[in-house]
Amino acid sequence: EPVQVIFRRKEVGFRCEDLRHLNEQERDAYVQEFIRQDKAAGFDLSRDALMRVAILRTGDEDYYFVWSSHHILMDGWCVALVTDEVFEAYFAAVEHRQPKLAPVTPYSQYIEWLEAQDEAAAASYWKDYLLGYDQQTSIPTGKVG
């Protein structure tokens, strides 16, 4: 059974650092090391926030925006949607206006749709679609990089 769990309080991995006190070479090295460590940290699904955001200020009007998320949270299709919303919110703030965002469909509506689907018809569709495949597809495992 699909279940949606919403925490009343959940820590989000957010950091904001001002690096303007460093010289240019030190700032560049710090940013590169920060990104390397962020990638190496990965995500522990049992305890970590599934997304981390860091803003590293490197100049009076220069920033690095480091946004990391676990792949279980967003796939390639939804990354573009979320990125569009983030940039719309950003540009709206810069332009002192309300962001223009598409209405949000509640997850519960998807669950209702899912429960209304004909499981036998879906199984028949996939059985016909995969007819003729006689081997399993190997899925790579382990950490890359």
Side-chain angles (χ1 to χ4, degrees):
E1 295 278 331
V3 175
Q4 180 181 23
V5 176
I6 301 172
F7 292 98
R8 292 187 193 279
R9 296 191 186 270
K10 180 71 174 159
E11 290 286 323
V12 177
F14 180 78
R15 289 174 65 171
C16 188
E17 295 185 44
D18 189 341
L19 308 177
R20 290 178 293 172
H21 64 282
L22 302 174
N23 68 43
E24 185 177 355
Q25 186 177 359
E26 291 171 327
R27 279 193 308 263
D28 290 346
Y30 185 93
V31 169
Q32 294 311 310
E33 180 61 14
F34 182 93
I35 292 169
R36 188 196 67 72
Q37 287 182 13
D38 185 69
K39 285 180 183 178
F43 292 90
D44 180 343
L45 295 177
S46 67
R47 69 181 217 301
D48 292 343
L50 300 181
M51 182 184 301
R52 294 187 295 266
V53 173
I55 298 173
L56 307 176
R57 187 171 191 180
T58 57
D60 291 342
E61 295 185 15
D62 298 317
Y63 299 82
Y64 275 84
F65 180 67
V66 182
W67 181 8
S68 305
S69 64
H70 191 281
H71 67 273
I72 200 170
L73 187 63
M74 293 191 287
D75 61 14
W77 176 78
C78 84
V79 165
L81 297 174
V82 173
T83 301
D84 287 348
E85 285 191 6
V86 168
F87 281 109
E88 170 57 23
Y90 171 76
F91 288 119
V94 167
E95 297 165 3
H96 305 289
R97 63 174 174 79
Q98 288 288 46
K100 298 173 188 142
L101 303 172
V104 176
T105 303
Y107 186 68
S108 59
Q109 211 171 329
Y110 168 69
I111 297 301
E112 289 171 10
W113 172 86
L114 194 61
E115 289 175 342
Q117 298 309 298
D118 183 340
E119 289 182 35
S124 176
Y125 168 83
W126 286 109
K127 183 178 179 182
D128 292 344
Y129 185 85
L130 298 171
L131 191 64
Y133 286 91
D134 58 357
Q135 295 180 358
Q136 290 182 339
T137 301
S138 297
I139 297 176
T141 60
K143 190 172 181 178
V144 176

